[in-house]
């Protein structure tokens, strides 16, 4: 009977009167939502095993995290998420972006008896514009998280459809797993809501396990996207940022950047070994990640990354037919190049067609 009640509650929220309320909330949140942070990536032809490392905070550092969270009036998870958001902001250079967090669909006796897979993942927007303090960012993260949890039962597929896009709403996740009976965000938020998933299908995941005394962060980076050296530098930068944050939670983001040490500054040097990324490699990565996102706009005409990539291929064919080859361009070939190059978006779209 409890199983039937649990399934009935889920069906009511998916198609009953509660569905309109859920739709309205998520439509307002994800319409024109900021995209995932675009992190500089390595090009890995033969990726190895996942880059998974534990970030074990000792008892003293864990106590500092709890003290900073108490001072800011937030739970441990929102504070740690604020630090993660600052990390992603520095790595990507974006003020606004979206990450994800997995949650459990079960709450209460009826839900726990329900058979089936009820895990959901929620998009969690971040806005670091205006140079907020870490404490303010953590308070915003907590308010947003509590709102997400109140509307957690709408499936991610439906939320994505409401956003109107074709790509994923997020590619980086953070998770909190409180072990034992303790407040996860505030006493008003039940620990059962937090799913014990690492988000293995994403590019970067940070999963925190809280045993009541020590905090352990489980850092997982996609080996097809980040080389082991890059992942190691990211971890070092994150820990350096966390340490400075705990020293002064009321510091603004710009103040933290002004005191950045070598480990944290390494975040702004790009992928492994600090090598410059060719523009073509960045473009190819953008095509692979979000082929249907707008790449070029000219008046009322727009080309997606996939369309621009196809047009560039056609243009390359025209140049080759005109006698242009890789390397330096001889003076006698300049007219051929000029004739082959399109001048606006419509010509780009039709180049070689």
């Amino acid at each position: 009977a409890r199983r039937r009640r649990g399934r009935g509650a889920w069906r009511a929220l998916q198609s009953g009167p509660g569905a309109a309320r859920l739709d309205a909330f998520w439509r307002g949140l994800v319409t024109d939502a900021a995209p995932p942070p675009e992190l500089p990536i390595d090009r890995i032809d033969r990726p190895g095993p996942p880059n998974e490392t534990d970030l074990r905070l000792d008892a003293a550092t864990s106590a500092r995290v709890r003290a900073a969270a108490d001072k800011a009036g937030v739970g441990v998870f929102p504070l740690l998420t604020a630090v993660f958001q600052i990390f992603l902001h520095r790595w990507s250079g974006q003020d606004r972006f979206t990450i994800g967090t997995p949650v459990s669909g079960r709450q209460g006796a009826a839900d726990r008896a329900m058979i089936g897979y009820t895990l959901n993942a929620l998009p969690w927007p971040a806005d670091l514009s205006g140079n907020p303090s870490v404490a303010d960012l953590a308070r915003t993260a907590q308010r947003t998280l509590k709102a997400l949890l109140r509307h957690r039962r709408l499936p991610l597929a439906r939320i994505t459809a409401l956003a109107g896009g074709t790509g994923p709403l997020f590619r980086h996740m953070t998770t909190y797993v409180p072990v034992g009976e303790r407040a996860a965000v505030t006493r008003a938020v039940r620990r059962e809501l937090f799913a014990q998933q690492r988000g293995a299908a994403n590019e970067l995941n940070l999963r925190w396990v809280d045993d009541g005394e020590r905090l352990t962060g489980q850092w997982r980076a996609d080996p097809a996207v980040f080389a082991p050296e890059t992942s190691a530098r990211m971890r070092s930068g994150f820990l350096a940022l966390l340490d400075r944050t705990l020293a002064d939670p009321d510091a603004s983001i710009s103040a933290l950047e002004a005191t950045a040490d070598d480990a944290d500054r390494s975040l702004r040097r790009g992928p492994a070994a600090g090598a410059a990324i060719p523009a073509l490699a960045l473009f190819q990565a953008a095509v692979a990640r979000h082929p249907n996102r707008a790449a070029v706009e000219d008046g009322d005409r727009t080309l997606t990354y996939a369309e621009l990539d196809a047009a560039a291929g056609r243009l390359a064919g025209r140049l080759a037919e005109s006698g242009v080859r890789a390397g330096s361009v001889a003076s006698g070939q300049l007219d051929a190049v000029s004739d082959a190059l399109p001048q606006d978006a419509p010509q780009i779209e039709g180049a070689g067609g």
Side-chain angles (χ1 to χ4, degrees):
R2 287 193 302 178
R3 292 173 184 170
R4 287 195 296 272
R5 287 196 300 272
R7 290 194 296 269
W10 267 87
R11 284 194 294 268
L13 283 169
Q14 299 299 312
S15 58
R21 177 180 61 85
L22 293 177
D23 271 13
F25 170 82
W26 286 109
R27 183 179 289 107
L29 190 74
V30 300
T31 300
D32 298 324
E38 295 288 348
L39 308 186
I41 63 173
D42 302 305
R43 297 181 60 81
I44 312 297
D45 294 329
R46 296 182 180 180
N51 300 321
E52 295 191 4
T53 305
D54 283 352
L55 309 179
R56 301 182 185 276
L57 306 187
D58 58 28
T61 303
S62 297
R64 291 175 65 204
V65 172
R66 299 184 201 283
D70 288 343
K71 181 180 178 182
V74 300
V76 168
F77 186 34
L79 178 67
L80 292 171
T81 299
V83 179
F84 189 51
Q85 290 173 345
I86 297 171
F87 163 83
L88 293 172
H89 158 71
R90 291 191 177 182
W91 189 252
S92 67
Q94 296 169 233
D95 290 336
R96 296 179 63 249
F97 51 82
T98 302
I99 61 174
T101 190
V103 296
S104 172
R106 292 182 171 86
Q107 181 182 5
D111 283 352
R112 286 196 295 270
M114 182 172 54
I115 297 175
Y117 183 77
T118 64
L119 181 71
N120 197 16
L122 305 178
W124 191 349
D127 188 348
L128 285 75
S129 59
N131 192 30
S133 69
V134 179
D136 285 340
L137 191 62
R139 286 188 279 267
T140 299
Q142 176 158 295
R143 287 194 300 270
T144 304
L145 177 60
K146 292 171 73 173
L148 301 183
L149 294 176
R150 288 195 298 270
H151 301 84
R152 69 192 181 280
R153 299 218 189 198
L154 196 67
L156 177 60
R158 174 61 180 165
I159 297 172
T160 303
L162 290 173
T166 56
L169 294 176
F170 52 83
R171 293 194 300 271
H172 315 87
M173 295 183 72
T174 187
T175 321
Y176 179 77
V177 182
V179 181
E181 298 294 337
R182 63 181 55 82
V185 178
T186 64
R187 292 180 181 177
V189 179
R190 297 172 61 93
R191 64 180 293 274
E192 289 91 341
L193 294 181
F194 291 89
Q196 300 190 19
Q197 285 277 336
R198 292 196 187 201
N202 289 270
E203 291 181 4
L204 186 62
N205 302 279
L206 180 55
R207 177 180 186 259
W208 290 100
V209 178
D210 183 358
D211 68 6
E213 179 182 2
R214 297 190 177 188
L215 292 157
T216 299
Q218 297 170 333
W219 184 281
R220 184 189 186 281
D222 185 345
V225 177
F226 302 112
E229 313 92 276
T230 300
S231 184
R233 288 175 45 243
M234 294 170 107
R235 295 192 301 269
S236 296
F238 176 83
L239 291 173
L241 178 63
L242 176 63
D243 184 66
R244 270 197 316 285
T245 296
L246 298 179
D248 187 5
D250 292 320
S252 66
I253 295 175
S254 62
L256 291 176
E257 290 181 347
T259 59
D261 59 19
D262 289 339
D264 192 49
R265 277 197 297 269
S266 71
L267 296 180
R268 293 187 288 278
R269 290 206 298 266
I277 309 175
L280 179 58
L282 290 173
F283 174 73
Q284 290 172 334
V287 172
R289 282 180 167 179
H290 36 70
N292 296 314
R293 187 178 297 174
V296 176
E297 294 183 355
D298 180 23
D300 59 352
R301 299 182 65 89
T302 300
L303 289 181
T304 66
Y305 278 97
E307 291 168 339
L308 182 58
D309 185 46
R314 292 193 296 269
L315 176 58
R318 290 182 62 181
L319 290 172
E321 291 173 359
S322 300
V324 178
R325 298 292 181 265
S328 59
V329 179
S331 59
Q333 295 177 306
L334 290 178
D335 289 341
V337 172
S338 178
D339 291 341
L341 288 177
Q343 303 300 316
D344 55 21
Q347 291 184 29
I348 292 175
E349 187 173 14

